[in-house]
Amino acid sequence: MRVEIWSDIACPWCYVGKARFEKALAAFPHRDDVEVVHRSFELDPGRAKGDVESVLTMLTRKYGMSEAQAEAGEDNLGAQAAAEGLDYRTRGRDHGNTFDMHRLLHLAKEHGRQDELIQALYRANFAEERSVFAEGDERLVELATEAGLDAARVRAVLADPEAYADAVREDEREAAELGATGVPFFVLDRKYGVSGAQPAEVFAQALTQAWGERSPLRLLDQGDADACGPDGCAVPPRV
């Protein structure tokens, strides 16, 4: 079974939702048969690279909050994260463009290191003092190499703005087609969708239901035909 997760590194509920989903997956009896794929979704796609501002400033400007309301929201997120065993800095974080991070996540997918990279990016953005936005490409190189990617290859991707750009846009197009207007958005076998950072119990129920309703392969009986199997290939007799 495949679970696709549309998310953005700048999304705190994606950070929390990933932990809740993983708690449900860890207890799922068929967890070893579940493939998890991370898909791209930008919450702020129009933001220019290098346009960085504080999270509190962004919240007050974008949502019309007072500073006190923005701080209360961050405190609530900090408490929700802590309940999942996650570190979360409620003050001093910044916000910026995540397109390059998504491009690197597609590179990481090719090398089987996607989950390692997205976890490193989440940790850096939500728990560490150093910015993933203000320090430039070398910060991303550092995190990507920590996740197991080759530094030279990472720099080459960051230097080429077209590298994996189409893959990011394709993920975003698919999200729109599936009806995702926000993230996190979880899709199980392209049959069931779960929106938001739901409790682990909801993810557990979704995994069980999706697993139980997988359709077995139906063979069309067209008579016997030669085929190859574990014991070799049938060889027709000579005439």
Side-chain angles (χ1 to χ4, degrees):
M1 184 168 71
R2 170 179 282 197
V3 178
E4 298 163 278
I5 307 174
W6 272 264
S7 59
D8 192 10
I9 302 304
C11 165
W13 288 118
C14 297
Y15 180 49
V16 172
K18 182 177 186 292
R20 291 175 177 172
F21 169 77
E22 288 176 347
K23 184 181 294 183
L25 182 61
F28 185 56
H30 308 287
R31 60 187 177 276
D32 292 338
D33 296 310
V34 177
E35 177 192 12
V36 178
V37 178
H38 297 282
R39 301 291 192 191
S40 299
F41 191 105
E42 295 172 275
L43 289 172
D44 201 354
R47 180 178 290 270
K49 182 177 179 177
D51 181 6
V52 180
E53 64 181 335
S54 76
V55 167
L56 292 178
T57 299
M58 180 273 293
L59 290 172
T60 57
R61 176 185 53 78
K62 186 173 183 178
Y63 299 106
M65 297 179 175
S66 68
E67 185 171 343
Q69 288 173 321
E71 289 178 346
E74 283 293 284
D75 290 340
N76 175 56
L77 278 163
Q80 298 271 359
E84 304 303 329
L86 301 172
D87 292 328
Y88 188 99
R89 294 179 65 233
T90 60
R91 301 292 186 273
R93 293 192 305 108
D94 56 14
H95 177 79
N97 180 285
T98 58
F99 190 67
D100 283 348
M101 299 179 203
H102 286 295
R103 295 196 298 121
L104 290 179
L105 284 167
H106 279 278
L107 168 67
K109 182 175 182 292
E110 289 185 353
H111 294 275
R113 309 299 295 177
Q114 194 181 41
D115 192 70
E116 289 81 359
L117 179 56
I118 198 168
Q119 194 60 36
L121 291 169
Y122 277 145
R123 184 194 70 243
N125 186 40
F126 292 108
E128 297 180 356
E129 290 188 12
R130 294 177 59 194
S131 172
V132 296
F133 301 107
E135 293 193 24
D137 289 352
E138 281 306 304
R139 178 64 170 140
L140 297 184
V141 173
E142 177 185 325
L143 293 168
T145 54
E146 287 177 8
L149 297 178
D150 177 71
R153 180 65 180 130
V154 172
R155 288 191 180 93
V157 169
L158 292 172
D160 178 5
E162 297 304 314
Y164 300 99
D166 288 344
V168 175
R169 298 305 184 206
E170 177 63 17
D171 278 358
E172 294 174 336
R173 182 190 64 78
E174 285 193 65
E177 289 182 352
L178 290 168
T181 57
V183 285
F185 189 70
F186 301 76
V187 176
L188 291 76
D189 266 355
R190 290 295 172 111
K191 292 176 62 178
Y192 297 97
V194 178
S195 180
Q198 300 287 347
E201 293 77 12
V202 173
F203 289 121
Q205 181 181 1
L207 286 166
T208 300
Q209 184 171 347
W211 183 268
E213 296 185 14
R214 291 177 306 144
S215 299
L217 182 67
R218 298 180 62 186
L219 294 174
L220 298 176
D221 187 3
Q222 297 180 343
D224 294 334
D226 295 327
C228 295
D231 298 323
C233 300
V235 180
R238 293 184 178 180
V239 297

